[in-house]
Short mmCIF file of all heavy atoms in Angstrom, two decimals:
data_model
loop_
_atom_site.label_atom_id
_atom_site.label_comp_id
_atom_site.label_asym_id
_atom_site.label_seq_id
_atom_site.Cartn_x
_atom_site.Cartn_y
_atom_site.Cartn_z
N MET A 1005 -33.53 -9.80 -9.06
CA MET A 1005 -32.73 -10.03 -7.88
C MET A 1005 -31.39 -9.31 -7.99
O MET A 1005 -30.91 -8.70 -7.06
CB MET A 1005 -32.49 -11.52 -7.70
CG MET A 1005 -31.74 -11.88 -6.41
SD MET A 1005 -31.35 -13.64 -6.31
CE MET A 1005 -29.76 -13.68 -7.13
N SER A 1006 -30.82 -9.36 -9.18
CA SER A 1006 -29.51 -8.77 -9.36
C SER A 1006 -29.61 -7.31 -9.79
O SER A 1006 -28.65 -6.73 -10.24
CB SER A 1006 -28.71 -9.57 -10.38
OG SER A 1006 -29.43 -9.68 -11.58
N ASP A 1007 -30.79 -6.73 -9.64
CA ASP A 1007 -30.96 -5.33 -10.03
C ASP A 1007 -30.11 -4.41 -9.16
O ASP A 1007 -29.74 -3.33 -9.57
CB ASP A 1007 -32.43 -4.93 -9.91
CG ASP A 1007 -33.25 -5.56 -11.03
OD1 ASP A 1007 -32.62 -6.16 -11.92
OD2 ASP A 1007 -34.47 -5.45 -11.02
N GLU A 1008 -29.82 -4.89 -7.97
CA GLU A 1008 -29.10 -4.06 -7.03
C GLU A 1008 -27.69 -3.76 -7.51
O GLU A 1008 -27.14 -2.71 -7.27
CB GLU A 1008 -29.05 -4.76 -5.67
CG GLU A 1008 -28.51 -3.88 -4.56
CD GLU A 1008 -28.45 -4.65 -3.25
OE1 GLU A 1008 -29.12 -5.70 -3.14
OE2 GLU A 1008 -27.74 -4.21 -2.36
N PHE A 1009 -27.12 -4.71 -8.22
CA PHE A 1009 -25.77 -4.53 -8.73
C PHE A 1009 -25.81 -4.41 -10.26
O PHE A 1009 -26.73 -4.89 -10.90
CB PHE A 1009 -24.89 -5.72 -8.33
CG PHE A 1009 -24.84 -5.92 -6.83
CD1 PHE A 1009 -25.52 -6.97 -6.25
CD2 PHE A 1009 -24.15 -5.03 -6.04
CE1 PHE A 1009 -25.48 -7.16 -4.88
CE2 PHE A 1009 -24.10 -5.21 -4.66
CZ PHE A 1009 -24.78 -6.28 -4.08
N GLY A 1010 -24.81 -3.80 -10.80
CA GLY A 1010 -24.75 -3.65 -12.24
C GLY A 1010 -25.24 -2.30 -12.72
O GLY A 1010 -25.30 -2.03 -13.91
N THR A 1011 -25.60 -1.44 -11.78
CA THR A 1011 -26.03 -0.10 -12.16
C THR A 1011 -24.85 0.85 -12.33
O THR A 1011 -25.00 1.94 -12.85
CB THR A 1011 -27.00 0.48 -11.12
OG1 THR A 1011 -26.37 0.42 -9.84
CG2 THR A 1011 -28.29 -0.31 -11.08
N CYS A 1012 -23.67 0.40 -11.89
CA CYS A 1012 -22.51 1.30 -11.94
C CYS A 1012 -21.89 1.35 -13.32
O CYS A 1012 -21.44 2.39 -13.77
CB CYS A 1012 -21.49 0.87 -10.89
SG CYS A 1012 -20.87 -0.81 -11.11
N CYS A 1013 -21.86 0.22 -14.01
CA CYS A 1013 -21.26 0.20 -15.34
C CYS A 1013 -21.82 -0.98 -16.14
O CYS A 1013 -22.32 -1.95 -15.58
CB CYS A 1013 -19.73 0.12 -15.25
SG CYS A 1013 -19.11 -1.39 -14.49
N ALA A 1014 -21.68 -0.88 -17.44
CA ALA A 1014 -22.24 -1.90 -18.33
C ALA A 1014 -21.52 -3.23 -18.20
O ALA A 1014 -22.11 -4.29 -18.38
CB ALA A 1014 -22.18 -1.42 -19.78
N THR A 1015 -20.25 -3.17 -17.85
CA THR A 1015 -19.47 -4.41 -17.76
C THR A 1015 -19.99 -5.31 -16.66
O THR A 1015 -20.24 -6.51 -16.87
CB THR A 1015 -17.99 -4.09 -17.50
OG1 THR A 1015 -17.52 -3.17 -18.49
CG2 THR A 1015 -17.15 -5.36 -17.57
N LEU A 1016 -20.18 -4.74 -15.48
CA LEU A 1016 -20.67 -5.53 -14.36
C LEU A 1016 -22.10 -5.99 -14.62
O LEU A 1016 -22.47 -7.12 -14.33
CB LEU A 1016 -20.60 -4.72 -13.06
CG LEU A 1016 -21.00 -5.50 -11.81
CD1 LEU A 1016 -20.07 -6.68 -11.56
CD2 LEU A 1016 -21.01 -4.59 -10.59
N LYS A 1017 -22.90 -5.10 -15.18
CA LYS A 1017 -24.29 -5.44 -15.48
C LYS A 1017 -24.36 -6.63 -16.43
O LYS A 1017 -25.14 -7.55 -16.25
CB LYS A 1017 -24.99 -4.23 -16.11
CG LYS A 1017 -26.48 -4.41 -16.30
CD LYS A 1017 -27.06 -3.17 -16.97
CE LYS A 1017 -28.57 -3.30 -17.14
NZ LYS A 1017 -29.28 -3.26 -15.87
N GLU A 1018 -23.50 -6.61 -17.43
CA GLU A 1018 -23.48 -7.69 -18.40
C GLU A 1018 -23.04 -8.99 -17.75
O GLU A 1018 -23.59 -10.05 -17.99
CB GLU A 1018 -22.52 -7.31 -19.53
CG GLU A 1018 -22.68 -8.15 -20.79
CD GLU A 1018 -21.74 -7.67 -21.89
OE1 GLU A 1018 -21.59 -6.45 -22.04
OE2 GLU A 1018 -21.16 -8.53 -22.56
N LEU A 1019 -22.03 -8.89 -16.88
CA LEU A 1019 -21.49 -10.09 -16.23
C LEU A 1019 -22.52 -10.81 -15.38
O LEU A 1019 -22.64 -12.03 -15.43
CB LEU A 1019 -20.31 -9.69 -15.35
CG LEU A 1019 -18.91 -9.89 -15.93
CD1 LEU A 1019 -17.87 -9.54 -14.89
CD2 LEU A 1019 -18.72 -11.33 -16.38
N ILE A 1020 -23.25 -10.05 -14.58
CA ILE A 1020 -24.15 -10.71 -13.64
C ILE A 1020 -25.49 -11.04 -14.26
O ILE A 1020 -26.31 -11.69 -13.63
CB ILE A 1020 -24.35 -9.87 -12.35
CG1 ILE A 1020 -24.96 -8.51 -12.67
CG2 ILE A 1020 -23.03 -9.71 -11.60
CD1 ILE A 1020 -25.19 -7.66 -11.44
N SER A 1021 -25.72 -10.60 -15.49
CA SER A 1021 -27.00 -10.90 -16.12
C SER A 1021 -26.85 -11.82 -17.32
O SER A 1021 -27.83 -12.24 -17.91
CB SER A 1021 -27.70 -9.61 -16.54
OG SER A 1021 -26.92 -8.92 -17.50
N THR A 1022 -25.62 -12.15 -17.68
CA THR A 1022 -25.41 -12.95 -18.88
C THR A 1022 -25.84 -14.39 -18.68
O THR A 1022 -25.81 -14.92 -17.57
CB THR A 1022 -23.92 -12.92 -19.31
OG1 THR A 1022 -23.80 -13.61 -20.55
CG2 THR A 1022 -23.04 -13.59 -18.27
N LYS A 1023 -26.29 -14.99 -19.76
CA LYS A 1023 -26.61 -16.41 -19.76
C LYS A 1023 -25.63 -17.17 -20.65
O LYS A 1023 -25.72 -18.37 -20.82
CB LYS A 1023 -28.04 -16.63 -20.30
CG LYS A 1023 -29.11 -15.93 -19.48
CD LYS A 1023 -29.52 -16.76 -18.26
CE LYS A 1023 -30.75 -16.18 -17.61
NZ LYS A 1023 -30.47 -14.90 -16.92
N GLU A 1024 -24.71 -16.45 -21.22
CA GLU A 1024 -23.82 -17.05 -22.21
C GLU A 1024 -22.67 -17.82 -21.57
O GLU A 1024 -22.08 -18.69 -22.16
CB GLU A 1024 -23.26 -15.97 -23.15
CG GLU A 1024 -24.35 -15.35 -24.01
CD GLU A 1024 -23.82 -14.17 -24.82
OE1 GLU A 1024 -22.60 -14.14 -25.06
OE2 GLU A 1024 -24.62 -13.31 -25.18
N PHE A 1025 -22.32 -17.44 -20.35
CA PHE A 1025 -21.27 -18.15 -19.65
C PHE A 1025 -21.50 -18.01 -18.16
O PHE A 1025 -22.34 -17.24 -17.72
CB PHE A 1025 -19.88 -17.63 -20.03
CG PHE A 1025 -19.72 -16.15 -19.83
CD1 PHE A 1025 -19.25 -15.65 -18.63
CD2 PHE A 1025 -20.04 -15.26 -20.84
CE1 PHE A 1025 -19.11 -14.28 -18.44
CE2 PHE A 1025 -19.91 -13.90 -20.66
CZ PHE A 1025 -19.44 -13.40 -19.46
N SER A 1026 -20.77 -18.76 -17.38
CA SER A 1026 -20.89 -18.68 -15.94
C SER A 1026 -19.89 -17.67 -15.40
O SER A 1026 -18.70 -17.95 -15.34
CB SER A 1026 -20.64 -20.04 -15.30
OG SER A 1026 -21.62 -20.96 -15.73
N PRO A 1027 -20.35 -16.51 -15.02
CA PRO A 1027 -19.43 -15.50 -14.52
C PRO A 1027 -18.87 -15.89 -13.16
O PRO A 1027 -19.50 -16.62 -12.40
CB PRO A 1027 -20.30 -14.25 -14.41
CG PRO A 1027 -21.68 -14.77 -14.24
CD PRO A 1027 -21.74 -16.06 -15.00
N LEU A 1028 -17.70 -15.41 -12.88
CA LEU A 1028 -17.07 -15.69 -11.59
C LEU A 1028 -17.47 -14.64 -10.57
O LEU A 1028 -17.01 -14.66 -9.44
CB LEU A 1028 -15.55 -15.73 -11.75
CG LEU A 1028 -15.04 -16.91 -12.59
CD1 LEU A 1028 -13.53 -16.83 -12.76
CD2 LEU A 1028 -15.42 -18.23 -11.97
N ILE A 1029 -18.31 -13.71 -11.01
CA ILE A 1029 -18.88 -12.74 -10.08
C ILE A 1029 -20.38 -12.99 -10.03
O ILE A 1029 -21.04 -13.01 -11.05
CB ILE A 1029 -18.59 -11.30 -10.54
CG1 ILE A 1029 -17.08 -11.03 -10.46
CG2 ILE A 1029 -19.36 -10.31 -9.68
CD1 ILE A 1029 -16.70 -9.63 -10.89
N GLU A 1030 -20.90 -13.21 -8.84
CA GLU A 1030 -22.30 -13.56 -8.71
C GLU A 1030 -22.90 -12.93 -7.46
O GLU A 1030 -22.20 -12.71 -6.48
CB GLU A 1030 -22.47 -15.08 -8.60
CG GLU A 1030 -22.48 -15.80 -9.93
CD GLU A 1030 -22.78 -17.28 -9.75
OE1 GLU A 1030 -22.18 -17.91 -8.87
OE2 GLU A 1030 -23.64 -17.78 -10.48
N VAL A 1031 -24.20 -12.70 -7.52
CA VAL A 1031 -24.90 -12.25 -6.34
C VAL A 1031 -25.35 -13.48 -5.56
O VAL A 1031 -26.05 -14.34 -6.09
CB VAL A 1031 -26.13 -11.39 -6.70
CG1 VAL A 1031 -26.83 -10.91 -5.44
CG2 VAL A 1031 -25.70 -10.21 -7.56
N GLY A 1032 -24.91 -13.58 -4.32
CA GLY A 1032 -25.25 -14.73 -3.51
C GLY A 1032 -26.68 -14.69 -3.02
O GLY A 1032 -27.40 -13.71 -3.20
N ASP A 1033 -27.10 -15.80 -2.40
CA ASP A 1033 -28.45 -15.89 -1.88
C ASP A 1033 -28.73 -14.84 -0.81
O ASP A 1033 -29.87 -14.48 -0.56
CB ASP A 1033 -28.69 -17.28 -1.29
CG ASP A 1033 -28.64 -18.36 -2.37
OD1 ASP A 1033 -28.90 -18.02 -3.54
OD2 ASP A 1033 -28.33 -19.52 -2.03
N ASP A 1034 -27.66 -14.38 -0.19
CA ASP A 1034 -27.81 -13.38 0.87
C ASP A 1034 -27.78 -11.96 0.33
O ASP A 1034 -27.74 -11.01 1.09
CB ASP A 1034 -26.73 -13.58 1.93
CG ASP A 1034 -25.34 -13.72 1.31
OD1 ASP A 1034 -25.23 -13.55 0.08
OD2 ASP A 1034 -24.38 -14.00 2.04
N GLY A 1035 -27.76 -11.83 -1.01
CA GLY A 1035 -27.79 -10.51 -1.59
C GLY A 1035 -26.45 -9.80 -1.63
O GLY A 1035 -26.37 -8.63 -1.98
N VAL A 1036 -25.40 -10.52 -1.30
CA VAL A 1036 -24.06 -9.96 -1.32
C VAL A 1036 -23.39 -10.38 -2.63
O VAL A 1036 -23.56 -11.50 -3.10
CB VAL A 1036 -23.23 -10.46 -0.11
CG1 VAL A 1036 -21.79 -9.98 -0.21
CG2 VAL A 1036 -23.87 -9.99 1.18
N LEU A 1037 -22.67 -9.43 -3.22
CA LEU A 1037 -21.97 -9.74 -4.45
C LEU A 1037 -20.65 -10.45 -4.14
O LEU A 1037 -19.84 -9.97 -3.35
CB LEU A 1037 -21.69 -8.46 -5.23
CG LEU A 1037 -21.16 -8.64 -6.66
CD1 LEU A 1037 -22.25 -9.22 -7.57
CD2 LEU A 1037 -20.66 -7.33 -7.23
N TYR A 1038 -20.48 -11.62 -4.74
CA TYR A 1038 -19.28 -12.40 -4.49
C TYR A 1038 -18.46 -12.57 -5.77
O TYR A 1038 -19.01 -12.65 -6.86
CB TYR A 1038 -19.66 -13.81 -3.98
CG TYR A 1038 -20.20 -13.82 -2.58
CD1 TYR A 1038 -21.56 -13.83 -2.35
CD2 TYR A 1038 -19.33 -13.83 -1.49
CE1 TYR A 1038 -22.07 -13.85 -1.05
CE2 TYR A 1038 -19.82 -13.85 -0.20
CZ TYR A 1038 -21.20 -13.86 0.01
OH TYR A 1038 -21.69 -13.87 1.28
N MET A 1039 -17.16 -12.64 -5.59
CA MET A 1039 -16.28 -12.94 -6.70
C MET A 1039 -15.49 -14.21 -6.38
O MET A 1039 -14.94 -14.34 -5.30
CB MET A 1039 -15.31 -11.79 -6.95
CG MET A 1039 -14.31 -12.09 -8.08
SD MET A 1039 -13.45 -10.62 -8.67
CE MET A 1039 -12.59 -10.09 -7.20
N SER A 1040 -15.46 -15.12 -7.33
CA SER A 1040 -14.68 -16.33 -7.15
C SER A 1040 -13.22 -16.03 -7.41
O SER A 1040 -12.86 -15.46 -8.43
CB SER A 1040 -15.17 -17.42 -8.11
OG SER A 1040 -16.50 -17.78 -7.82
N VAL A 1041 -12.41 -16.40 -6.46
CA VAL A 1041 -10.99 -16.09 -6.57
C VAL A 1041 -10.15 -17.34 -6.79
O VAL A 1041 -8.94 -17.26 -7.01
CB VAL A 1041 -10.48 -15.35 -5.32
CG1 VAL A 1041 -11.15 -13.99 -5.21
CG2 VAL A 1041 -10.71 -16.16 -4.08
N GLY A 1042 -10.79 -18.50 -6.74
CA GLY A 1042 -10.03 -19.71 -6.95
C GLY A 1042 -10.92 -20.94 -6.89
O GLY A 1042 -12.10 -20.86 -6.58
N ILE A 1043 -10.33 -22.06 -7.22
CA ILE A 1043 -11.06 -23.32 -7.20
C ILE A 1043 -10.38 -24.24 -6.19
O ILE A 1043 -9.18 -24.47 -6.25
CB ILE A 1043 -11.06 -23.99 -8.59
CG1 ILE A 1043 -11.71 -23.06 -9.60
CG2 ILE A 1043 -11.77 -25.33 -8.54
CD1 ILE A 1043 -11.61 -23.55 -11.03
N MET A 1044 -11.20 -24.74 -5.28
CA MET A 1044 -10.67 -25.60 -4.24
C MET A 1044 -10.73 -27.05 -4.71
O MET A 1044 -11.77 -27.52 -5.18
CB MET A 1044 -11.49 -25.41 -2.96
CG MET A 1044 -10.86 -26.05 -1.73
SD MET A 1044 -11.92 -25.79 -0.28
CE MET A 1044 -11.88 -23.99 -0.18
N ASP A 1045 -9.64 -27.73 -4.59
CA ASP A 1045 -9.60 -29.14 -4.95
C ASP A 1045 -10.05 -29.95 -3.75
O ASP A 1045 -9.31 -30.14 -2.80
CB ASP A 1045 -8.19 -29.53 -5.37
CG ASP A 1045 -8.13 -30.99 -5.83
OD1 ASP A 1045 -9.20 -31.62 -5.95
OD2 ASP A 1045 -7.01 -31.48 -6.06
N ASN A 1046 -11.29 -30.39 -3.81
CA ASN A 1046 -11.82 -31.13 -2.66
C ASN A 1046 -11.83 -32.63 -2.89
O ASN A 1046 -12.46 -33.39 -2.16
CB ASN A 1046 -13.23 -30.62 -2.31
CG ASN A 1046 -14.18 -30.76 -3.49
OD1 ASN A 1046 -13.86 -31.40 -4.48
ND2 ASN A 1046 -15.34 -30.16 -3.38
N GLY A 1047 -11.16 -33.07 -3.94
CA GLY A 1047 -11.01 -34.50 -4.15
C GLY A 1047 -12.15 -35.17 -4.89
O GLY A 1047 -12.07 -36.34 -5.22
N LYS A 1048 -13.22 -34.40 -5.15
CA LYS A 1048 -14.35 -34.99 -5.87
C LYS A 1048 -14.28 -34.56 -7.33
O LYS A 1048 -14.09 -33.39 -7.63
CB LYS A 1048 -15.67 -34.53 -5.25
CG LYS A 1048 -15.86 -35.05 -3.83
CD LYS A 1048 -17.13 -34.44 -3.22
CE LYS A 1048 -17.23 -34.81 -1.74
NZ LYS A 1048 -18.27 -34.04 -1.05
N GLU A 1049 -14.49 -35.52 -8.19
CA GLU A 1049 -14.29 -35.25 -9.62
C GLU A 1049 -15.34 -34.30 -10.19
O GLU A 1049 -15.03 -33.39 -10.95
CB GLU A 1049 -14.34 -36.56 -10.41
CG GLU A 1049 -13.00 -37.28 -10.41
CD GLU A 1049 -13.04 -38.50 -11.32
OE1 GLU A 1049 -13.88 -38.52 -12.24
OE2 GLU A 1049 -12.25 -39.43 -11.10
N ASP A 1050 -16.59 -34.50 -9.81
CA ASP A 1050 -17.65 -33.72 -10.43
C ASP A 1050 -18.08 -32.55 -9.55
O ASP A 1050 -19.12 -31.96 -9.76
CB ASP A 1050 -18.85 -34.63 -10.75
CG ASP A 1050 -19.26 -35.46 -9.54
OD1 ASP A 1050 -18.47 -35.55 -8.59
OD2 ASP A 1050 -20.38 -36.00 -9.55
N GLU A 1051 -17.29 -32.23 -8.59
CA GLU A 1051 -17.67 -31.14 -7.70
C GLU A 1051 -16.47 -30.23 -7.44
O GLU A 1051 -15.52 -30.61 -6.76
CB GLU A 1051 -18.18 -31.72 -6.38
CG GLU A 1051 -19.21 -30.82 -5.71
CD GLU A 1051 -19.74 -31.48 -4.43
OE1 GLU A 1051 -20.32 -32.58 -4.54
OE2 GLU A 1051 -19.53 -30.91 -3.37
N GLU A 1052 -16.54 -29.06 -8.00
CA GLU A 1052 -15.46 -28.11 -7.78
C GLU A 1052 -15.90 -27.10 -6.75
O GLU A 1052 -16.97 -26.53 -6.83
CB GLU A 1052 -15.11 -27.38 -9.08
CG GLU A 1052 -14.36 -28.26 -10.07
CD GLU A 1052 -14.10 -27.49 -11.36
OE1 GLU A 1052 -14.82 -26.52 -11.62
OE2 GLU A 1052 -13.18 -27.88 -12.09
N GLY A 1053 -15.07 -26.90 -5.76
CA GLY A 1053 -15.41 -25.93 -4.74
C GLY A 1053 -14.83 -24.57 -5.08
O GLY A 1053 -13.62 -24.40 -5.10
N MET A 1054 -15.72 -23.63 -5.39
CA MET A 1054 -15.26 -22.30 -5.70
C MET A 1054 -15.01 -21.53 -4.41
O MET A 1054 -15.80 -21.59 -3.47
CB MET A 1054 -16.29 -21.54 -6.55
CG MET A 1054 -16.63 -22.25 -7.86
SD MET A 1054 -15.18 -22.50 -8.93
CE MET A 1054 -14.83 -20.80 -9.38
N VAL A 1055 -13.92 -20.81 -4.40
CA VAL A 1055 -13.61 -19.97 -3.25
C VAL A 1055 -14.10 -18.55 -3.55
O VAL A 1055 -13.63 -17.90 -4.47
CB VAL A 1055 -12.09 -19.96 -2.98
CG1 VAL A 1055 -11.79 -19.13 -1.74
CG2 VAL A 1055 -11.57 -21.38 -2.81
N ASP A 1056 -15.08 -18.12 -2.78
CA ASP A 1056 -15.71 -16.83 -3.04
C ASP A 1056 -15.39 -15.83 -1.94
O ASP A 1056 -15.32 -16.17 -0.77
CB ASP A 1056 -17.23 -16.98 -3.11
CG ASP A 1056 -17.65 -17.90 -4.23
OD1 ASP A 1056 -16.97 -17.88 -5.27
OD2 ASP A 1056 -18.64 -18.61 -4.06
N TYR A 1057 -15.23 -14.58 -2.36
CA TYR A 1057 -15.08 -13.50 -1.39
C TYR A 1057 -16.02 -12.36 -1.78
O TYR A 1057 -16.24 -12.13 -2.97
CB TYR A 1057 -13.64 -12.98 -1.37
CG TYR A 1057 -12.70 -13.88 -0.61
CD1 TYR A 1057 -11.89 -14.78 -1.27
CD2 TYR A 1057 -12.64 -13.81 0.79
CE1 TYR A 1057 -11.03 -15.62 -0.57
CE2 TYR A 1057 -11.78 -14.65 1.48
CZ TYR A 1057 -10.98 -15.54 0.80
OH TYR A 1057 -10.15 -16.36 1.50
N PRO A 1058 -16.57 -11.69 -0.80
CA PRO A 1058 -17.44 -10.56 -1.11
C PRO A 1058 -16.67 -9.45 -1.83
O PRO A 1058 -15.50 -9.20 -1.54
CB PRO A 1058 -17.91 -10.07 0.26
CG PRO A 1058 -17.67 -11.21 1.19
CD PRO A 1058 -16.48 -11.95 0.64
N VAL A 1059 -17.33 -8.82 -2.78
CA VAL A 1059 -16.73 -7.71 -3.52
C VAL A 1059 -17.38 -6.42 -3.04
O VAL A 1059 -18.58 -6.27 -3.12
CB VAL A 1059 -16.96 -7.87 -5.03
CG1 VAL A 1059 -16.31 -6.72 -5.79
CG2 VAL A 1059 -16.41 -9.20 -5.51
N PHE A 1060 -16.58 -5.53 -2.52
CA PHE A 1060 -17.13 -4.28 -2.01
C PHE A 1060 -17.02 -3.14 -3.01
O PHE A 1060 -17.77 -2.18 -2.96
CB PHE A 1060 -16.45 -3.90 -0.70
CG PHE A 1060 -16.63 -4.95 0.36
CD1 PHE A 1060 -15.58 -5.75 0.77
CD2 PHE A 1060 -17.88 -5.18 0.90
CE1 PHE A 1060 -15.75 -6.74 1.72
CE2 PHE A 1060 -18.07 -6.17 1.86
CZ PHE A 1060 -17.00 -6.94 2.28
N TYR A 1061 -16.10 -3.27 -3.92
CA TYR A 1061 -15.93 -2.26 -4.96
C TYR A 1061 -15.96 -2.94 -6.32
O TYR A 1061 -15.38 -4.01 -6.50
CB TYR A 1061 -14.61 -1.51 -4.79
CG TYR A 1061 -14.56 -0.67 -3.53
CD1 TYR A 1061 -14.12 -1.22 -2.34
CD2 TYR A 1061 -14.97 0.66 -3.56
CE1 TYR A 1061 -14.09 -0.47 -1.19
CE2 TYR A 1061 -14.93 1.42 -2.40
CZ TYR A 1061 -14.49 0.86 -1.22
OH TYR A 1061 -14.47 1.60 -0.07
N CYS A 1062 -16.63 -2.32 -7.26
CA CYS A 1062 -16.68 -2.88 -8.60
C CYS A 1062 -15.26 -2.99 -9.16
O CYS A 1062 -14.52 -2.00 -9.17
CB CYS A 1062 -17.53 -1.99 -9.51
SG CYS A 1062 -17.58 -2.57 -11.21
N PRO A 1063 -14.88 -4.18 -9.61
CA PRO A 1063 -13.51 -4.35 -10.13
C PRO A 1063 -13.30 -3.67 -11.48
O PRO A 1063 -12.17 -3.60 -11.96
CB PRO A 1063 -13.38 -5.88 -10.25
CG PRO A 1063 -14.77 -6.37 -10.36
CD PRO A 1063 -15.65 -5.41 -9.60
N PHE A 1064 -14.37 -3.18 -12.07
CA PHE A 1064 -14.25 -2.61 -13.41
C PHE A 1064 -14.24 -1.09 -13.41
O PHE A 1064 -13.52 -0.47 -14.16
CB PHE A 1064 -15.38 -3.12 -14.31
CG PHE A 1064 -15.47 -4.63 -14.30
CD1 PHE A 1064 -16.49 -5.26 -13.64
CD2 PHE A 1064 -14.50 -5.39 -14.92
CE1 PHE A 1064 -16.57 -6.65 -13.61
CE2 PHE A 1064 -14.55 -6.77 -14.90
CZ PHE A 1064 -15.58 -7.40 -14.24
N CYS A 1065 -15.06 -0.51 -12.55
CA CYS A 1065 -15.13 0.95 -12.56
C CYS A 1065 -14.80 1.56 -11.20
O CYS A 1065 -14.62 2.76 -11.08
CB CYS A 1065 -16.50 1.43 -13.03
SG CYS A 1065 -17.82 1.09 -11.86
N GLY A 1066 -14.68 0.73 -10.17
CA GLY A 1066 -14.25 1.22 -8.87
C GLY A 1066 -15.35 1.79 -7.99
O GLY A 1066 -15.08 2.26 -6.90
N THR A 1067 -16.57 1.71 -8.44
CA THR A 1067 -17.68 2.20 -7.63
C THR A 1067 -17.91 1.30 -6.42
O THR A 1067 -17.85 0.08 -6.54
CB THR A 1067 -18.98 2.24 -8.47
OG1 THR A 1067 -18.77 3.11 -9.57
CG2 THR A 1067 -20.15 2.73 -7.64
N GLN A 1068 -18.17 1.92 -5.27
CA GLN A 1068 -18.48 1.11 -4.10
C GLN A 1068 -19.86 0.50 -4.26
O GLN A 1068 -20.85 1.18 -4.51
CB GLN A 1068 -18.43 1.94 -2.82
CG GLN A 1068 -18.64 1.09 -1.59
CD GLN A 1068 -18.35 1.82 -0.29
OE1 GLN A 1068 -18.24 3.04 -0.27
NE2 GLN A 1068 -18.21 1.08 0.78
N LEU A 1069 -19.92 -0.82 -4.12
CA LEU A 1069 -21.15 -1.54 -4.38
C LEU A 1069 -21.92 -1.86 -3.11
O LEU A 1069 -23.14 -1.93 -3.10
CB LEU A 1069 -20.85 -2.84 -5.12
CG LEU A 1069 -20.16 -2.69 -6.47
CD1 LEU A 1069 -19.71 -4.05 -6.98
CD2 LEU A 1069 -21.07 -2.03 -7.48
N GLN A 1070 -21.19 -2.10 -2.04
CA GLN A 1070 -21.84 -2.48 -0.80
C GLN A 1070 -20.94 -2.13 0.37
O GLN A 1070 -19.73 -2.02 0.22
CB GLN A 1070 -22.18 -3.97 -0.80
CG GLN A 1070 -20.99 -4.86 -1.19
CD GLN A 1070 -21.44 -6.26 -1.60
OE1 GLN A 1070 -22.58 -6.64 -1.41
NE2 GLN A 1070 -20.52 -7.03 -2.17
N GLU A 1071 -21.56 -1.94 1.51
CA GLU A 1071 -20.81 -1.60 2.71
C GLU A 1071 -20.24 -2.85 3.33
O GLU A 1071 -20.89 -3.89 3.37
CB GLU A 1071 -21.73 -0.90 3.72
CG GLU A 1071 -22.30 0.42 3.24
CD GLU A 1071 -21.25 1.52 3.23
OE1 GLU A 1071 -20.26 1.39 3.96
OE2 GLU A 1071 -21.42 2.49 2.47
N GLN A 1072 -19.03 -2.73 3.82
CA GLN A 1072 -18.38 -3.89 4.40
C GLN A 1072 -19.14 -4.40 5.62
O GLN A 1072 -19.15 -5.56 5.94
CB GLN A 1072 -16.94 -3.52 4.79
CG GLN A 1072 -16.03 -4.73 4.82
CD GLN A 1072 -14.62 -4.37 4.37
OE1 GLN A 1072 -14.38 -3.23 4.00
NE2 GLN A 1072 -13.71 -5.30 4.39
N ASP A 1073 -19.81 -3.48 6.32
CA ASP A 1073 -20.55 -3.85 7.52
C ASP A 1073 -21.75 -4.72 7.19
O ASP A 1073 -22.25 -5.44 8.03
CB ASP A 1073 -21.04 -2.60 8.25
CG ASP A 1073 -19.87 -1.81 8.81
OD1 ASP A 1073 -18.80 -2.40 8.99
OD2 ASP A 1073 -20.04 -0.61 9.07
N GLU A 1074 -22.21 -4.65 5.94
CA GLU A 1074 -23.41 -5.38 5.57
C GLU A 1074 -23.14 -6.85 5.33
O GLU A 1074 -24.06 -7.64 5.13
CB GLU A 1074 -24.02 -4.78 4.30
CG GLU A 1074 -24.64 -3.42 4.55
CD GLU A 1074 -25.16 -2.83 3.25
OE1 GLU A 1074 -25.12 -3.52 2.23
OE2 GLU A 1074 -25.59 -1.67 3.28
N GLU A 1075 -21.89 -7.20 5.36
CA GLU A 1075 -21.56 -8.60 5.12
C GLU A 1075 -22.16 -9.48 6.19
O GLU A 1075 -21.95 -9.28 7.38
CB GLU A 1075 -20.05 -8.80 5.09
CG GLU A 1075 -19.67 -10.25 4.81
CD GLU A 1075 -18.17 -10.48 4.96
OE1 GLU A 1075 -17.43 -9.48 5.15
OE2 GLU A 1075 -17.76 -11.62 4.90
N LYS A 1076 -22.90 -10.46 5.76
CA LYS A 1076 -23.52 -11.40 6.69
C LYS A 1076 -22.73 -12.69 6.67
O LYS A 1076 -22.37 -13.19 5.64
CB LYS A 1076 -24.97 -11.65 6.29
CG LYS A 1076 -25.80 -10.39 6.19
CD LYS A 1076 -27.21 -10.73 5.74
CE LYS A 1076 -28.00 -9.46 5.45
NZ LYS A 1076 -27.58 -8.84 4.17
N THR A 1077 -22.51 -13.20 7.83
CA THR A 1077 -21.73 -14.43 7.90
C THR A 1077 -22.61 -15.62 8.19
O THR A 1077 -23.69 -15.48 8.68
CB THR A 1077 -20.63 -14.33 8.98
OG1 THR A 1077 -21.22 -13.91 10.20
CG2 THR A 1077 -19.56 -13.36 8.56
ZN1 ZN B 1982 -18.86 -0.99 -12.24
#
């Protein structure tokens, strides 16, 4: 599923394929790469709301990963 991303550099590939930790960059169910930019305090102890935004350029090597128009809402 995540084959689409991570071809630009080893860092991103490692991040989205690792099982060793929970990366803050993930491929969403809609196939869009998202990066968590913060944690929302929603008042529930066992539920943290991550604030995600689509990533259009790889933060590590600068390669364009997806077109902004492809963002599905
Ligand atoms: Zn990259």
Side-chain angles (χ1 to χ4, degrees):
M1005 185 185 89
S1006 54
D1007 287 353
E1008 189 182 342
F1009 303 106
T1011 54
C1012 59
C1013 63
T1015 306
L1016 184 62
K1017 188 182 182 69
E1018 196 177 320
L1019 261 184
I1020 61 179
S1021 62
T1022 185
K1023 300 277 190 289
E1024 294 173 24
F1025 56 91
S1026 297
L1028 293 177
I1029 294 180
E1030 277 185 313
V1031 181
D1033 295 335
D1034 48 6
V1036 175
L1037 190 69
Y1038 288 97
M1039 177 165 61
S1040 296
V1041 295
I1043 301 173
M1044 192 181 297
D1045 183 7
N1046 58 11
K1048 295 174 187 169
E1049 276 186 24
D1050 50 345
E1051 209 177 299
E1052 287 178 338
M1054 302 301 291
V1055 183
D1056 299 325
Y1057 282 99
V1059 181
F1060 300 109
Y1061 294 88
C1062 177
F1064 308 107
C1065 69
T1067 300
Q1068 185 169 14
L1069 300 171
Q1070 50 197 349
E1071 297 287 337
Q1072 205 145 357
D1073 293 339
E1074 289 177 6
E1075 181 188 353
K1076 304 178 188 74
T1077 52

